[in-house]
Amino acid sequence: MQLLGVSQQLADARNDLRYALLFDELSPFLKRAPGHIIDIGGSDGRSLVPWQTAGWTTTLIDPGATQRALPNRDIRALGSVEEATRAGLQPATVITSYHCIEHMLDIDDWITESKRLSTADTVWVIEVPFEVIYIQKLMQSRPLDRTNIHNEHLNFFTPRSLTALALRMGLEPASVKIVVTPFWHGPSVSLRMVARAASRSGQAATIKRSSPRRVRASLALSLPIWRRVAGLMFRYTRIMHPEWG
């Protein structure tokens, strides 16, 4: 933070703005009375403050959350999904996970654990970085250990693979889109998905498996377009919201 010239106060203010905007954007998907929201991987719990203010019951699940000073004492803090399962929590109306899944070593295990906290009516909101440049580097012929990518990210998503994640969870995406949002360090390009359980009329759709060769060919065509779109969105945001950094 110091290298980027960002104070803790400025970082907190930008995060507060980010989560206030998120709450406003997600509200149309939740035309119901306040319920219970669980944020998995939410670090300091700031993402839950707008929900708490609106009357929701809020639970933060994050390693070390019980030792952190949270912004609101009414936010329940638990250290793991397993601990949350043992606690017998009220089923979640909404489950959010922002910039968490890209760190997961075993996504299937994350799905199995997280779904224990949901019901058929739970709305899921999953946001991940849209790291087009890193994906392009991973597709190059150089050995993987020489590829310059984010050293803490194990999974890299495109709109199609984020949709595939929803279908793997037995969900139907209501929205998958590229977004530019304020982060503590400035604007950041991400992918955000809102998903629900498969409709009662049938099972969730499936994505047909493709050969690695076909996947690489598809990415070779799509990535330059996504990079262009994301770049234009990023530059537009920097012009319209200079206060974001």
Side-chain angles (χ1 to χ4, degrees):
M1 291 177 64
Q2 291 179 345
L3 290 174
L4 293 175
V6 179
S7 67
Q8 185 64 56
Q9 292 76 14
L10 179 57
D12 290 344
R14 287 175 174 171
N15 283 332
D16 289 341
L17 172 62
R18 162 174 158 71
Y19 294 125
L21 293 173
L22 256 174
F23 177 78
D24 291 340
E25 190 169 338
L26 295 175
S27 294
F29 292 97
L30 304 166
K31 297 177 181 178
R32 62 183 80 179
H36 179 206
I37 178 171
I38 297 176
D39 187 14
I40 301 175
S43 184
D44 61 2
R46 304 188 86 87
S47 63
L48 294 170
V49 171
W51 302 84
Q52 180 79 41
T53 302
W56 285 66
T57 301
T58 53
T59 300
L60 169 66
I61 299 177
D62 192 271
T66 55
Q67 280 77 48
R68 296 192 188 104
L70 302 183
N72 190 312
R73 68 177 62 185
D74 293 325
I75 295 174
R76 181 192 291 110
L78 299 169
S80 67
V81 173
E82 182 180 356
E83 185 180 343
T85 303
R86 292 197 307 267
L89 301 178
Q90 170 192 351
T93 311
V94 180
I95 293 178
T96 58
S97 184
Y98 306 123
H99 293 247
C100 173
I101 302 178
E102 65 271 17
H103 300 277
M104 293 294 125
L105 180 62
D106 188 336
I107 289 183
D108 283 333
D109 185 58
W110 182 90
I111 292 172
T112 300
E113 285 197 342
S114 301
K115 290 200 72 175
R116 295 174 188 165
L117 306 174
S118 69
T119 69
D121 296 322
T122 299
V123 175
W124 294 74
V125 182
I126 297 175
E127 186 176 292
V128 293
F130 193 23
E131 299 173 308
V132 176
I133 296 175
Y134 291 156
I135 297 173
Q136 289 179 318
K137 290 179 179 178
L138 287 169
M139 291 179 62
Q140 295 173 356
S141 59
R142 72 182 66 179
L144 183 60
D145 60 359
R146 299 181 191 172
T147 301
N148 181 21
I149 60 174
H150 195 300
N151 62 359
E152 294 182 358
H153 291 180
L154 304 177
N155 307 292
F156 299 85
F157 290 89
T158 68
R160 187 176 187 274
S161 61
L162 191 57
T163 299
L165 174 67
L167 302 184
R168 197 176 186 88
M169 297 173 70
L171 305 173
E172 287 183 352
S175 172
V176 177
K177 61 183 181 179
I178 303 171
V179 295
V180 182
T181 57
F183 263 66
W184 66 265
H185 52 75
S188 182
V189 181
S190 303
L191 293 172
R192 185 184 304 144
M193 176 178 68
V194 180
R196 309 172 187 271
S199 63
R200 297 178 182 177
S201 59
Q203 298 293 323
T206 58
I207 289 183
K208 183 179 178 180
R209 290 183 179 274
S210 300
S211 68
R213 182 176 180 180
R214 181 169 293 183
V215 170
R216 292 179 69 89
S218 175
L219 286 173
L221 292 173
S222 302
L223 288 171
I225 299 173
W226 285 330
R227 184 170 180 174
R228 178 65 172 166
V229 171
L232 289 172
M233 292 176 64
F234 181 83
R235 287 192 288 273
Y236 175 80
T237 301
R238 291 292 296 269
I239 293 170
M240 299 301 296
H241 297 284
E243 73 278 8
W244 290 9

